[in-house]
Amino acid sequence: MANHNNDSMDDIGKIDGKIQSVYFDQENKDADSVTEHSGAWSGALWLNAETAHFADVVGFGASFYQVAKIDMKDRNETTNNGGGSGGLLNSDNDGFGNLGQLWVDFKLPDMNDGVSANLKVGRQLVETGLITISGSRSVPSAWQGVDAAVDLDGLTGKIAWVDKVSMRTQSGFHDIQNAKGQKIDGIIGMELSYTVDLGNSSSLEFQYRNGLADKYVKSHNGNITYKLPLNNDSTLTLAGMYYHAKEDGKRWVWDDAVTPGKESEFSPAPFKDKAESMGLSATFDFDSLSVMAAFTYSKASTATSVHTAEGYEYIGNYNYYFGDNTQGAYGMPTSSIYSDFNFDKEKAWLIGGEYDFSESGLKGLSLGYNFIYGSGMKAEKVGGKSKDVSEYEHDVTVKYNFVNVGLKDLNLKAQYAYNHNDKEFRMATGQANAKYLRAWLSYSFEI
């Protein structure tokens, strides 16, 4: 081994990671005028190790995550059934450690031009089909299972099967469960995408994705994206997307009414039988400026017998999770920092943009703003009248890379959301008004 002390890590693998500090502060005002707070300040270490592929075929990898509690206001500890940290700490509002990844990867040797394939088995960050992870908290969630991909000259196919999950707030891997705590045996995710080169740097991409949770729900998604270069280094991108979800068996079980004295445990079905979301977006990129406009529409009716503690018939929503303790992909452009704008019969509009100040002398700084407005929902009082309700949200995002001071691996990101909705909407959905501040300061490194 001494003969190889001067070999680069690229020859044998790599060790890298990230140190980050995360701060969340959320203020919710419910329908009964009670204001709740959640959030915390945490520190986290992500450490990844990965070998090169031995014989150009098999490689190994692992990731360890550690979270430390820096600060948390006492007022937050009793909100959200004891989870007042906003998802930055564990269920006891403390730090934790987790061996979040441990996998072996098999791949085709690189001798085949235009063809690549790999199969990864173990604990890993799976993002295949509509199966995905959450990376927006102290550490990411992860899955246990098998993930495979193949690429044939631009035609890409992927398939994954997972049977256990590690949430972003816990150690170890656990059964996938529904809202009643019943086990979901597994989830399959698949995707297929193909890009057609139309010449002159324009392209047309087709994508299909799905997620199938055993005896729980089936979800499908289709996307079409058209990119058209314009004059003066500008590009117009047009996109259309469609999501469809359908309940698929005895694990799709929810409470259908409020139990007296247990209103906080009420979890109505997000939709009965099926739900749909569809959307269109247009993005114009010109030099340092990017401007977007989008429209989405959702259908997610629920049983009329389902009512909230305030006596309103529940307004359904498009649920894109594959279990009560999982994540799911939902790439609608109107899905925002706080609200997804995907309630039954909701028509949502977005206008926004982002500006990169690098060409203006502030290298590494960008500022983004979105305004989203949703309407068309009806809040119906049980045995009474209905009322048209709406919601809107302002989102601001600031990103800064410290490249100007020689720290290109140090990044700051901050987001602020202000969501307002009608009182009757809150009574019929349980979604409160919100003021939401999030900030990440992260430093990436390689050993």
Side-chain angles (χ1 to χ4, degrees), residues 25 29 33 43 153 198 218 220 228-229 262 265 268 270 281 285 322 333 381 403-404 415:
D25 184 58
K29 189 173 183 180
S33 298
D153 288 323
L198 301 177
K218 292 181 178 179
H220 304 271
L228 176 65
K262 295 186 177 181
E265 299 178 6
S281 69
D285 295 296
F322 294 100
K381 187 81 171 178
V403 63
N404 268 349
Q415 293 182 319

Side-chain angles (χ1 to χ4, degrees), residues 175-225:
D175 290 338
I176 302 167
Q177 298 180 344
N178 67 3
K180 295 286 190 180
Q182 299 169 325
K183 181 181 177 182
I184 297 171
D185 290 334
I187 307 170
I188 296 174
M190 293 176 281
E191 69 179 71
L192 189 66
S193 61
Y194 183 70
T195 301
V196 180
D197 186 352
L198 301 177
N200 298 320
S201 299
S202 62
S203 64
L204 187 63
E205 181 183 10
F206 300 90
Q207 184 186 55
Y208 165 76
R209 300 181 295 172
N210 69 26
L212 315 173
D214 185 55
K215 297 181 179 65
Y216 184 70
V217 70
K218 292 181 178 179
S219 297
H220 304 271
N221 164 243
N223 300 286
I224 300 176
T225 305

Side-chain angles (χ1 to χ4, degrees), residues 202-203 225-231 233-239 281-286 291:
S202 62
S203 64
T225 305
Y226 175 55
K227 291 186 177 181
L228 176 65
L230 304 175
N231 295 328
D233 298 323
S234 60
T235 302
L236 177 65
T237 302
L238 303 175
S281 69
T283 305
F284 178 69
D285 295 296
F286 178 72
V291 178

Side-chain angles (χ1 to χ4, degrees), residues 131-149:
I131 299 174
T132 191
I133 62 168
S134 171
S136 63
R137 300 307 196 265
S138 301
V139 294
S141 58
W143 300 93
Q144 175 179 286
V146 180
D147 191 22

Side-chain angles (χ1 to χ4, degrees), residues 121-135:
V121 182
R123 299 177 172 183
Q124 53 188 301
L125 307 183
V126 178
E127 293 184 290
T128 293
L130 295 176
I131 299 174
T132 191
I133 62 168
S134 171

